[in-house]
Amino acid sequence: MKTLDESEVLASKIAFLQVKQAEELRLLKNQFHNVYENLKPWELLKNTLYDVISSSETKKEIAASIIGLVFDYLFKKKASNLQAKSSIMGTVALFLINTFNNWRAS
């Protein structure tokens, strides 16, 4: 009688472990699928862009760069007009613009 009880307990433990193994396999497959989906090139690009856009420091840097580019464009256009009128004024204006751009870049 004692061996029958032990075999029932053993069968019960085996059944429990089989259920546990099936559940862990299902979780592992889900995790693998999530990793696979997140490593696709489009997902990597999308996640990277989201991280970049959501950063407030990056927003400040982008705004400063845009302002610098607009400033640079307008003054170079103005400097080319000045250079046509007066070569000294144009040279000074271009020097100041280039100095400002070098300072902004560093």
Side-chain angles (χ1 to χ4, degrees):
M1 186 83 169
K2 192 173 187 180
T3 59
L4 184 60
D5 291 334
E6 289 176 359
S7 64
E8 287 177 1
V9 170
L10 185 59
S12 172
K13 287 183 179 181
I14 289 173
F16 172 75
L17 289 175
Q18 286 175 339
V19 170
K20 183 178 176 184
Q21 181 184 25
E23 179 65 20
E24 287 177 353
L25 180 63
R26 186 187 64 79
L27 291 173
L28 184 63
K29 284 181 180 180
N30 283 341
Q31 187 176 13
F32 179 78
H33 179 71
N34 288 338
V35 168
Y36 174 75
E37 289 296 321
N38 286 328
L39 288 179
K40 288 183 176 178
W42 172 248
E43 289 296 321
L44 288 173
L45 181 64
K46 186 173 74 172
N47 292 339
T48 303
L49 288 176
Y50 177 76
D51 291 344
V52 167
I53 291 171
S54 64
S55 170
S56 62
E57 185 66 29
T58 305
K59 289 179 184 177
K60 290 177 186 176
E61 290 175 7
I62 290 172
S65 296
I66 290 172
I67 290 170
L69 288 172
V70 169
F71 181 76
D72 186 40
Y73 174 75
L74 292 176
F75 276 96
K76 279 191 178 182
K77 192 168 192 152
K78 186 68 173 174
S80 66
N81 290 340
L82 286 174
Q83 195 170 18
K85 294 178 184 175
S86 164
S87 63
I88 295 174
M89 290 291 286
T91 304
V92 170
L94 286 175
F95 174 76
L96 291 175
I97 291 168
N98 290 333
T99 303
F100 173 75
N101 284 336
N102 290 338
W103 172 76
R104 185 174 47 93
S106 57

